[in-house]
Amino acid sequence: MKTLYFDHAATTPVSEQVLAEMLPYFEHQYGNASAMYALGRQSKRAIEQARKRVANAINAKQSEIYFTSCGSESDNLAIKGIAYANRNRGNHIITSKIEHHAVLNTCKTLEKQGLEVTYLNVDENGFIDINQLINSIRSTTILISIMFANNEIGTIEPIQKIGKIARANNIIFHTDAVQAIGNVRIDVNKLNIDSLSMSGHKFYAPKGIGALYVREGVKFEKIQDGGHQEKDKRAGTENVAEIVGLGKAIEDVYANYERYNEHLQNLRDFYIAQIEQKIPTAKLNGDRRSRLPGNANFSFSNINAQKLLLELDEKGICASAGSACSTGNPEPSHVLVAIGLDRNLSEGTLRTTFGKDNTKQDVEFLVDSLVNIIQKNTIYIGVKRRIDKCVLLCRLSGCIR
């Protein structure tokens, strides 16, 4: 049975080109980048080439890029590092209620350490309340951290507007851009972004490698002690092969940006149109226009998402009920709660995220499978309700006890 993968927001496969560029650094060019001999210097040059590629992709300086292990570490390093280094300026942070847990839980940790955090509301499409943002700013506000695009519902926030507000108030602006890299063109200067997190495995690089951009002049402290790697901001021997892979992947995804994202958007729009035509009770979550090109998040009534995922899996289809980091959590998604979705719909939510290898035929099979599962479930519920009604009537008439 063929596997059809529609969960690219969770992770992507490593591309052939990226893997080919990584392989020498596992076998032949294996030197420690901190070593002085030629083998070490080769690794150091490879890291700096990757740093340059990342910087070019977001119009940053090479010296403003720091390599980490993942997006979550990048978020932690940015938010904690900036908070610790700027305590003399204030102790207040502003974020939103729909951030990834790498941001939310980092902020909760800082609250335990005496910092104050404001969590902004969002509307039914997932946009932050700009007026609430402005009104939340204090003289002690040192950081605003708002995600570029939501990992569950795909809504792209008004980043340029947020950055302008932060810059006008002399507040550092960080954005978790893990879902946006490769799917949105990003210029950190035009958008007034002071710090940005990314994760390689979201754009065809391997898992276990991320990067953090911090604008020159923004103070931040390291949160991991050890050696003096990454300009003394992130201790630990560099993962040379994966750093090379991230650099190659980000260069490739932006070199093919128009074609890649047009492909994703065509699949997404076809899928949305087909679902709304064939399952008219389905509800699309997130903004219809300002959303990631490959993201479609639907809620279906009277069906549990876990049941839906299991039945799709039996057909060889991989999708998601939401963030991969929250799998197994019985509570409704904090994102769906924040946009005001009722519990019945929240429990029947399916996130579908497309990638470069998906085809229209794949999407047609996905739609047909969903229609079949939903119809079967609707018939089952209808029969069960009729049986329950008959049992109730029999009990009321004394036929059964």
Side-chain angles (χ1 to χ4, degrees), residues 198-243:
M198 67 177 74
S199 185
H201 74 106
K202 307 296 187 179
F203 50 90
Y204 305 96
K207 301 170 188 65
I209 186 65
L212 174 66
Y213 154 76
V214 181
R215 184 182 298 280
E216 189 177 273
V218 172
K219 293 193 299 181
F220 75 108
E221 292 183 8
K222 62 183 178 183
I223 60 173
Q224 179 171 304
D225 292 319
H228 300 286
Q229 292 89 350
E230 292 303 291
K231 291 162 283 183
D232 203 27
K233 293 298 186 182
R234 201 269 179 178
T237 301
E238 298 94 340
N239 189 344
V240 181
E242 295 205 359
I243 288 172

mmCIF file of all heavy atoms in Angstrom, residues 198-243:
data_model
loop_
_atom_site.group_PDB
_atom_site.id
_atom_site.type_symbol
_atom_site.label_atom_id
_atom_site.label_comp_id
_atom_site.label_asym_id
_atom_site.label_seq_id
_atom_site.Cartn_x
_atom_site.Cartn_y
_atom_site.Cartn_z
ATOM 1 N N MET A 198 14.046 29.333 13.623
ATOM 2 C CA MET A 198 13.699 28.421 12.531
ATOM 3 C C MET A 198 14.152 27.009 12.878
ATOM 4 O O MET A 198 14.999 26.813 13.752
ATOM 5 C CB MET A 198 14.332 28.884 11.216
ATOM 6 C CG MET A 198 15.840 28.795 11.174
ATOM 7 S SD MET A 198 16.524 29.275 9.562
ATOM 8 C CE MET A 198 16.307 31.058 9.605
ATOM 9 N N SER A 199 13.585 26.025 12.173
ATOM 10 C CA SER A 199 13.913 24.619 12.403
ATOM 11 C C SER A 199 14.067 23.913 11.064
ATOM 12 O O SER A 199 13.152 23.933 10.236
ATOM 13 C CB SER A 199 12.815 23.951 13.233
ATOM 14 O OG SER A 199 13.161 22.630 13.562
ATOM 15 N N GLY A 200 15.201 23.261 10.849
ATOM 16 C CA GLY A 200 15.527 22.695 9.545
ATOM 17 C C GLY A 200 14.563 21.651 9.025
ATOM 18 O O GLY A 200 14.290 21.591 7.824
ATOM 19 N N HIS A 201 14.009 20.833 9.912
ATOM 20 C CA HIS A 201 13.208 19.709 9.424
ATOM 21 C C HIS A 201 11.835 20.123 8.907
ATOM 22 O O HIS A 201 11.076 19.283 8.421
ATOM 23 C CB HIS A 201 13.077 18.625 10.501
ATOM 24 C CG HIS A 201 12.145 18.948 11.624
ATOM 25 N ND1 HIS A 201 10.905 18.354 11.748
ATOM 26 C CD2 HIS A 201 12.273 19.772 12.679
ATOM 27 C CE1 HIS A 201 10.314 18.802 12.847
ATOM 28 N NE2 HIS A 201 11.124 19.660 13.422
ATOM 29 N N LYS A 202 11.525 21.415 8.956
ATOM 30 C CA LYS A 202 10.283 21.908 8.369
ATOM 31 C C LYS A 202 10.463 22.284 6.895
ATOM 32 O O LYS A 202 9.477 22.536 6.195
ATOM 33 C CB LYS A 202 9.763 23.133 9.130
ATOM 34 C CG LYS A 202 9.609 22.934 10.631
ATOM 35 C CD LYS A 202 8.566 21.896 10.988
ATOM 36 C CE LYS A 202 8.350 21.866 12.504
ATOM 37 N NZ LYS A 202 7.330 20.909 12.922
ATOM 38 N N PHE A 203 11.724 22.337 6.419
ATOM 39 C CA PHE A 203 11.942 22.701 5.012
ATOM 40 C C PHE A 203 12.996 21.810 4.349
ATOM 41 O O PHE A 203 13.889 22.271 3.660
ATOM 42 C CB PHE A 203 12.276 24.195 4.852
ATOM 43 C CG PHE A 203 13.361 24.731 5.752
ATOM 44 C CD1 PHE A 203 14.688 24.718 5.354
ATOM 45 C CD2 PHE A 203 13.055 25.258 7.000
ATOM 46 C CE1 PHE A 203 15.690 25.215 6.168
ATOM 47 C CE2 PHE A 203 14.046 25.764 7.828
ATOM 48 C CZ PHE A 203 15.368 25.741 7.415
ATOM 49 N N TYR A 204 12.870 20.483 4.603
ATOM 50 C CA TYR A 204 13.618 19.447 3.890
ATOM 51 C C TYR A 204 15.082 19.317 4.311
ATOM 52 O O TYR A 204 15.894 18.737 3.600
ATOM 53 C CB TYR A 204 13.498 19.629 2.367
ATOM 54 C CG TYR A 204 12.055 19.678 1.927
ATOM 55 C CD1 TYR A 204 11.397 20.893 1.732
ATOM 56 C CD2 TYR A 204 11.321 18.504 1.748
ATOM 57 C CE1 TYR A 204 10.053 20.954 1.374
ATOM 58 C CE2 TYR A 204 9.985 18.545 1.386
ATOM 59 C CZ TYR A 204 9.360 19.774 1.201
ATOM 60 O OH TYR A 204 8.032 19.814 0.847
ATOM 61 N N ALA A 205 15.410 19.845 5.493
ATOM 62 C CA ALA A 205 16.686 19.551 6.154
ATOM 63 C C ALA A 205 16.399 18.498 7.224
ATOM 64 O O ALA A 205 15.243 18.178 7.496
ATOM 65 C CB ALA A 205 17.270 20.826 6.763
ATOM 66 N N PRO A 206 17.432 17.948 7.858
ATOM 67 C CA PRO A 206 17.172 16.900 8.854
ATOM 68 C C PRO A 206 16.640 17.435 10.182
ATOM 69 O O PRO A 206 16.699 18.636 10.458
ATOM 70 C CB PRO A 206 18.558 16.267 9.049
ATOM 71 C CG PRO A 206 19.516 17.343 8.688
ATOM 72 C CD PRO A 206 18.859 18.147 7.604
ATOM 73 N N LYS A 207 16.105 16.524 10.980
ATOM 74 C CA LYS A 207 15.718 16.861 12.352
ATOM 75 C C LYS A 207 16.982 17.066 13.179
ATOM 76 O O LYS A 207 18.027 16.482 12.896
ATOM 77 C CB LYS A 207 14.874 15.739 12.960
ATOM 78 C CG LYS A 207 13.603 15.442 12.188
ATOM 79 C CD LYS A 207 12.953 14.169 12.695
ATOM 80 C CE LYS A 207 11.790 13.757 11.813
ATOM 81 N NZ LYS A 207 12.230 13.381 10.430
ATOM 82 N N GLY A 208 16.871 17.873 14.220
ATOM 83 C CA GLY A 208 18.006 18.056 15.119
ATOM 84 C C GLY A 208 18.880 19.243 14.792
ATOM 85 O O GLY A 208 19.981 19.373 15.340
ATOM 86 N N ILE A 209 18.406 20.131 13.900
ATOM 87 C CA ILE A 209 19.178 21.328 13.573
ATOM 88 C C ILE A 209 18.229 22.515 13.400
ATOM 89 O O ILE A 209 17.186 22.396 12.765
ATOM 90 C CB ILE A 209 20.048 21.128 12.304
ATOM 91 C CG1 ILE A 209 20.955 22.336 12.065
ATOM 92 C CG2 ILE A 209 19.196 20.816 11.091
ATOM 93 C CD1 ILE A 209 21.990 22.538 13.141
ATOM 94 N N GLY A 210 18.594 23.621 14.014
ATOM 95 C CA GLY A 210 17.816 24.851 13.896
ATOM 96 C C GLY A 210 18.747 26.033 13.832
ATOM 97 O O GLY A 210 19.979 25.888 13.867
ATOM 98 N N ALA A 211 18.164 27.207 13.739
ATOM 99 C CA ALA A 211 18.976 28.424 13.717
ATOM 100 C C ALA A 211 18.206 29.556 14.380
ATOM 101 O O ALA A 211 16.970 29.535 14.442
ATOM 102 C CB ALA A 211 19.364 28.803 12.289
ATOM 103 N N LEU A 212 18.961 30.511 14.867
ATOM 104 C CA LEU A 212 18.384 31.704 15.497
ATOM 105 C C LEU A 212 19.044 32.936 14.904
ATOM 106 O O LEU A 212 20.280 33.009 14.827
ATOM 107 C CB LEU A 212 18.609 31.665 17.010
ATOM 108 C CG LEU A 212 18.188 32.920 17.788
ATOM 109 C CD1 LEU A 212 16.674 33.108 17.740
ATOM 110 C CD2 LEU A 212 18.669 32.848 19.234
ATOM 111 N N TYR A 213 18.231 33.879 14.477
ATOM 112 C CA TYR A 213 18.728 35.188 14.053
ATOM 113 C C TYR A 213 18.528 36.155 15.206
ATOM 114 O O TYR A 213 17.442 36.209 15.812
ATOM 115 C CB TYR A 213 17.955 35.672 12.821
ATOM 116 C CG TYR A 213 17.911 37.180 12.672
ATOM 117 C CD1 TYR A 213 19.024 37.898 12.216
ATOM 118 C CD2 TYR A 213 16.766 37.899 13.009
ATOM 119 C CE1 TYR A 213 18.985 39.279 12.092
ATOM 120 C CE2 TYR A 213 16.713 39.278 12.881
ATOM 121 C CZ TYR A 213 17.828 39.966 12.432
ATOM 122 O OH TYR A 213 17.782 41.339 12.317
ATOM 123 N N VAL A 214 19.573 36.920 15.537
ATOM 124 C CA VAL A 214 19.470 38.010 16.522
ATOM 125 C C VAL A 214 20.160 39.223 15.920
ATOM 126 O O VAL A 214 21.350 39.162 15.573
ATOM 127 C CB VAL A 214 20.115 37.647 17.872
ATOM 128 C CG1 VAL A 214 19.949 38.822 18.850
ATOM 129 C CG2 VAL A 214 19.488 36.387 18.463
ATOM 130 N N ARG A 215 19.403 40.295 15.801
ATOM 131 C CA ARG A 215 19.937 41.521 15.193
ATOM 132 C C ARG A 215 21.159 42.026 15.961
ATOM 133 O O ARG A 215 21.199 41.995 17.193
ATOM 134 C CB ARG A 215 18.856 42.603 15.159
ATOM 135 C CG ARG A 215 19.301 43.891 14.436
ATOM 136 C CD ARG A 215 18.197 44.950 14.466
ATOM 137 N NE ARG A 215 16.995 44.491 13.782
ATOM 138 C CZ ARG A 215 16.829 44.503 12.474
ATOM 139 N NH1 ARG A 215 17.809 44.958 11.688
ATOM 140 N NH2 ARG A 215 15.704 44.092 11.920
ATOM 141 N N GLU A 216 22.136 42.488 15.214
ATOM 142 C CA GLU A 216 23.336 43.061 15.802
ATOM 143 C C GLU A 216 22.959 44.207 16.750
ATOM 144 O O GLU A 216 22.173 45.092 16.400
ATOM 145 C CB GLU A 216 24.236 43.593 14.675
ATOM 146 C CG GLU A 216 25.617 44.020 15.097
ATOM 147 C CD GLU A 216 26.434 44.448 13.888
ATOM 148 O OE1 GLU A 216 27.061 43.582 13.249
ATOM 149 O OE2 GLU A 216 26.409 45.652 13.552
ATOM 150 N N GLY A 217 23.483 44.176 17.961
ATOM 151 C CA GLY A 217 23.179 45.209 18.943
ATOM 152 C C GLY A 217 22.140 44.798 19.971
ATOM 153 O O GLY A 217 22.015 45.434 21.021
ATOM 154 N N VAL A 218 21.369 43.730 19.664
ATOM 155 C CA VAL A 218 20.388 43.222 20.632
ATOM 156 C C VAL A 218 21.122 42.338 21.634
ATOM 157 O O VAL A 218 21.767 41.359 21.263
ATOM 158 C CB VAL A 218 19.269 42.427 19.931
ATOM 159 C CG1 VAL A 218 18.382 41.739 20.958
ATOM 160 C CG2 VAL A 218 18.444 43.350 19.043
ATOM 161 N N LYS A 219 21.000 42.660 22.913
ATOM 162 C CA LYS A 219 21.692 41.903 23.955
ATOM 163 C C LYS A 219 20.924 40.631 24.292
ATOM 164 O O LYS A 219 19.716 40.674 24.493
ATOM 165 C CB LYS A 219 21.859 42.759 25.212
ATOM 166 C CG LYS A 219 22.794 43.941 25.052
ATOM 167 C CD LYS A 219 23.171 44.548 26.396
ATOM 168 C CE LYS A 219 21.953 45.073 27.141
ATOM 169 N NZ LYS A 219 22.334 45.687 28.433
ATOM 170 N N PHE A 220 21.632 39.499 24.348
ATOM 171 C CA PHE A 220 21.026 38.268 24.840
ATOM 172 C C PHE A 220 22.100 37.390 25.454
ATOM 173 O O PHE A 220 23.261 37.437 25.063
ATOM 174 C CB PHE A 220 20.259 37.534 23.730
ATOM 175 C CG PHE A 220 21.098 36.818 22.710
ATOM 176 C CD1 PHE A 220 21.162 35.434 22.690
ATOM 177 C CD2 PHE A 220 21.807 37.520 21.741
ATOM 178 C CE1 PHE A 220 21.923 34.770 21.737
ATOM 179 C CE2 PHE A 220 22.561 36.865 20.785
ATOM 180 C CZ PHE A 220 22.623 35.480 20.775
ATOM 181 N N GLU A 221 21.717 36.638 26.474
ATOM 182 C CA GLU A 221 22.649 35.794 27.200
ATOM 183 C C GLU A 221 22.516 34.344 26.753
ATOM 184 O O GLU A 221 21.433 33.905 26.352
ATOM 185 C CB GLU A 221 22.393 35.879 28.711
ATOM 186 C CG GLU A 221 22.720 37.224 29.323
ATOM 187 C CD GLU A 221 22.524 37.225 30.836
ATOM 188 O OE1 GLU A 221 22.275 36.133 31.405
ATOM 189 O OE2 GLU A 221 22.601 38.312 31.435
ATOM 190 N N LYS A 222 23.600 33.604 26.873
ATOM 191 C CA LYS A 222 23.538 32.168 26.609
ATOM 192 C C LYS A 222 22.758 31.493 27.734
ATOM 193 O O LYS A 222 22.689 31.990 28.862
ATOM 194 C CB LYS A 222 24.934 31.580 26.493
ATOM 195 C CG LYS A 222 25.779 31.697 27.762
ATOM 196 C CD LYS A 222 27.170 31.147 27.526
ATOM 197 C CE LYS A 222 28.036 31.307 28.782
ATOM 198 N NZ LYS A 222 29.416 30.860 28.567
ATOM 199 N N ILE A 223 22.131 30.367 27.428
ATOM 200 C CA ILE A 223 21.385 29.623 28.445
ATOM 201 C C ILE A 223 21.972 28.220 28.639
ATOM 202 O O ILE A 223 21.447 27.422 29.398
ATOM 203 C CB ILE A 223 19.883 29.525 28.088
ATOM 204 C CG1 ILE A 223 19.679 28.816 26.744
ATOM 205 C CG2 ILE A 223 19.247 30.899 28.065
ATOM 206 C CD1 ILE A 223 18.211 28.536 26.412
ATOM 207 N N GLN A 224 23.077 27.940 27.943
ATOM 208 C CA GLN A 224 23.729 26.625 28.029
ATOM 209 C C GLN A 224 25.215 26.846 28.237
ATOM 210 O O GLN A 224 25.877 27.476 27.413
ATOM 211 C CB GLN A 224 23.470 25.849 26.735
ATOM 212 C CG GLN A 224 24.114 24.475 26.682
ATOM 213 C CD GLN A 224 23.642 23.691 25.468
ATOM 214 O OE1 GLN A 224 22.449 23.486 25.280
ATOM 215 N NE2 GLN A 224 24.577 23.274 24.625
ATOM 216 N N ASP A 225 25.741 26.340 29.323
ATOM 217 C CA ASP A 225 27.144 26.536 29.643
ATOM 218 C C ASP A 225 28.008 25.437 29.041
ATOM 219 O O ASP A 225 27.555 24.308 28.824
ATOM 220 C CB ASP A 225 27.343 26.563 31.167
ATOM 221 C CG ASP A 225 26.705 27.791 31.792
ATOM 222 O OD1 ASP A 225 26.832 28.875 31.200
ATOM 223 O OD2 ASP A 225 26.074 27.658 32.858
ATOM 224 N N GLY A 226 29.257 25.775 28.785
ATOM 225 C CA GLY A 226 30.193 24.816 28.198
ATOM 226 C C GLY A 226 31.297 25.566 27.487
ATOM 227 O O GLY A 226 31.879 26.505 28.033
ATOM 228 N N GLY A 227 31.561 25.175 26.260
ATOM 229 C CA GLY A 227 32.604 25.824 25.476
ATOM 230 C C GLY A 227 32.153 27.169 24.910
ATOM 231 O O GLY A 227 31.109 27.700 25.260
ATOM 232 N N HIS A 228 32.957 27.675 23.986
ATOM 233 C CA HIS A 228 32.717 29.027 23.460
ATOM 234 C C HIS A 228 32.228 29.022 22.013
ATOM 235 O O HIS A 228 32.386 30.008 21.291
ATOM 236 C CB HIS A 228 34.007 29.842 23.569
ATOM 237 C CG HIS A 228 34.503 29.983 24.975
ATOM 238 N ND1 HIS A 228 33.902 30.817 25.886
ATOM 239 C CD2 HIS A 228 35.527 29.359 25.625
ATOM 240 C CE1 HIS A 228 34.536 30.734 27.043
ATOM 241 N NE2 HIS A 228 35.529 29.853 26.915
ATOM 242 N N GLN A 229 31.592 27.922 21.608
ATOM 243 C CA GLN A 229 31.098 27.852 20.234
ATOM 244 C C GLN A 229 29.997 28.881 19.988
ATOM 245 O O GLN A 229 29.393 29.408 20.923
ATOM 246 C CB GLN A 229 30.562 26.437 19.942
ATOM 247 C CG GLN A 229 31.617 25.356 19.912
ATOM 248 C CD GLN A 229 31.865 24.725 21.263
ATOM 249 O OE1 GLN A 229 31.393 25.200 22.292
ATOM 250 N NE2 GLN A 229 32.633 23.638 21.270
ATOM 251 N N GLU A 230 29.718 29.129 18.705
ATOM 252 C CA GLU A 230 28.681 30.086 18.283
ATOM 253 C C GLU A 230 28.843 31.445 18.978
ATOM 254 O O GLU A 230 27.910 31.974 19.587
ATOM 255 C CB GLU A 230 27.284 29.499 18.514
ATOM 256 C CG GLU A 230 26.955 28.313 17.617
ATOM 257 C CD GLU A 230 27.081 28.646 16.138
ATOM 258 O OE1 GLU A 230 26.256 29.437 15.632
ATOM 259 O OE2 GLU A 230 28.010 28.118 15.486
ATOM 260 N N LYS A 231 30.057 31.963 18.907
ATOM 261 C CA LYS A 231 30.386 33.277 19.484
ATOM 262 C C LYS A 231 30.024 33.345 20.963
ATOM 263 O O LYS A 231 29.531 34.363 21.457
ATOM 264 C CB LYS A 231 29.708 34.395 18.686
ATOM 265 C CG LYS A 231 30.285 34.563 17.274
ATOM 266 C CD LYS A 231 29.355 35.348 16.363
ATOM 267 C CE LYS A 231 28.211 34.472 15.886
ATOM 268 N NZ LYS A 231 27.327 35.188 14.928
ATOM 269 N N ASP A 232 30.226 32.238 21.634
ATOM 270 C CA ASP A 232 29.994 32.107 23.084
ATOM 271 C C ASP A 232 28.517 32.244 23.451
ATOM 272 O O ASP A 232 28.177 32.604 24.575
ATOM 273 C CB ASP A 232 30.818 33.130 23.872
ATOM 274 C CG ASP A 232 31.037 32.683 25.311
ATOM 275 O OD1 ASP A 232 31.036 31.461 25.567
ATOM 276 O OD2 ASP A 232 31.200 33.560 26.186
ATOM 277 N N LYS A 233 27.633 31.919 22.516
ATOM 278 C CA LYS A 233 26.197 32.009 22.793
ATOM 279 C C LYS A 233 25.518 30.634 22.841
ATOM 280 O O LYS A 233 24.392 30.516 23.317
ATOM 281 C CB LYS A 233 25.499 32.861 21.717
ATOM 282 C CG LYS A 233 25.899 34.323 21.725
ATOM 283 C CD LYS A 233 25.543 35.010 23.031
ATOM 284 C CE LYS A 233 25.821 36.510 22.966
ATOM 285 N NZ LYS A 233 25.533 37.182 24.249
ATOM 286 N N ARG A 234 26.210 29.575 22.358
ATOM 287 C CA ARG A 234 25.584 28.256 22.355
ATOM 288 C C ARG A 234 26.676 27.197 22.435
ATOM 289 O O ARG A 234 27.286 26.835 21.439
ATOM 290 C CB ARG A 234 24.739 28.087 21.088
ATOM 291 C CG ARG A 234 23.676 27.013 21.180
ATOM 292 C CD ARG A 234 24.183 25.675 20.702
ATOM 293 N NE ARG A 234 23.161 24.637 20.806
ATOM 294 C CZ ARG A 234 23.327 23.389 20.425
ATOM 295 N NH1 ARG A 234 24.484 23.005 19.910
ATOM 296 N NH2 ARG A 234 22.365 22.505 20.574
ATOM 297 N N ALA A 235 26.930 26.729 23.673
ATOM 298 C CA ALA A 235 28.013 25.774 23.893
ATOM 299 C C ALA A 235 27.696 24.422 23.273
ATOM 300 O O ALA A 235 26.546 24.021 23.163
ATOM 301 C CB ALA A 235 28.251 25.619 25.393
ATOM 302 N N GLY A 236 28.745 23.700 22.886
ATOM 303 C CA GLY A 236 28.592 22.356 22.340
ATOM 304 C C GLY A 236 29.255 22.223 20.980
ATOM 305 O O GLY A 236 29.201 23.147 20.163
ATOM 306 N N THR A 237 29.874 21.072 20.739
ATOM 307 C CA THR A 237 30.503 20.814 19.442
ATOM 308 C C THR A 237 29.469 20.929 18.326
ATOM 309 O O THR A 237 28.381 20.355 18.413
ATOM 310 C CB THR A 237 31.123 19.408 19.427
ATOM 311 O OG1 THR A 237 32.096 19.320 20.462
ATOM 312 C CG2 THR A 237 31.773 19.111 18.077
ATOM 313 N N GLU A 238 29.805 21.661 17.294
ATOM 314 C CA GLU A 238 28.848 21.911 16.215
ATOM 315 C C GLU A 238 28.516 20.637 15.449
ATOM 316 O O GLU A 238 29.384 19.814 15.176
ATOM 317 C CB GLU A 238 29.410 22.950 15.232
ATOM 318 C CG GLU A 238 29.667 24.307 15.849
ATOM 319 C CD GLU A 238 31.094 24.477 16.336
ATOM 320 O OE1 GLU A 238 31.780 23.443 16.549
ATOM 321 O OE2 GLU A 238 31.522 25.629 16.500
ATOM 322 N N ASN A 239 27.253 20.511 15.084
ATOM 323 C CA ASN A 239 26.759 19.386 14.279
ATOM 324 C C ASN A 239 26.970 19.750 12.813
ATOM 325 O O ASN A 239 26.061 20.198 12.112
ATOM 326 C CB ASN A 239 25.274 19.167 14.592
ATOM 327 C CG ASN A 239 24.729 17.908 13.971
ATOM 328 O OD1 ASN A 239 25.332 17.326 13.080
ATOM 329 N ND2 ASN A 239 23.568 17.490 14.434
ATOM 330 N N VAL A 240 28.193 19.564 12.350
ATOM 331 C CA VAL A 240 28.605 20.115 11.056
ATOM 332 C C VAL A 240 27.733 19.619 9.909
ATOM 333 O O VAL A 240 27.247 20.411 9.098
ATOM 334 C CB VAL A 240 30.090 19.796 10.775
ATOM 335 C CG1 VAL A 240 30.515 20.399 9.431
ATOM 336 C CG2 VAL A 240 30.973 20.323 11.888
ATOM 337 N N ALA A 241 27.522 18.314 9.819
ATOM 338 C CA ALA A 241 26.758 17.760 8.698
ATOM 339 C C ALA A 241 25.347 18.351 8.632
ATOM 340 O O ALA A 241 24.869 18.705 7.548
ATOM 341 C CB ALA A 241 26.686 16.239 8.821
ATOM 342 N N GLU A 242 24.702 18.451 9.780
ATOM 343 C CA GLU A 242 23.328 18.961 9.767
ATOM 344 C C GLU A 242 23.273 20.475 9.559
ATOM 345 O O GLU A 242 22.333 20.989 8.955
ATOM 346 C CB GLU A 242 22.598 18.542 11.046
ATOM 347 C CG GLU A 242 22.431 17.032 11.135
ATOM 348 C CD GLU A 242 21.268 16.597 11.993
ATOM 349 O OE1 GLU A 242 20.566 17.461 12.557
ATOM 350 O OE2 GLU A 242 21.052 15.368 12.098
ATOM 351 N N ILE A 243 24.279 21.185 10.033
ATOM 352 C CA ILE A 243 24.373 22.619 9.738
ATOM 353 C C ILE A 243 24.503 22.826 8.231
ATOM 354 O O ILE A 243 23.835 23.683 7.636
ATOM 355 C CB ILE A 243 25.557 23.255 10.498
ATOM 356 C CG1 ILE A 243 25.231 23.341 11.996
ATOM 357 C CG2 ILE A 243 25.875 24.650 9.944
ATOM 358 C CD1 ILE A 243 26.398 23.775 12.862
#
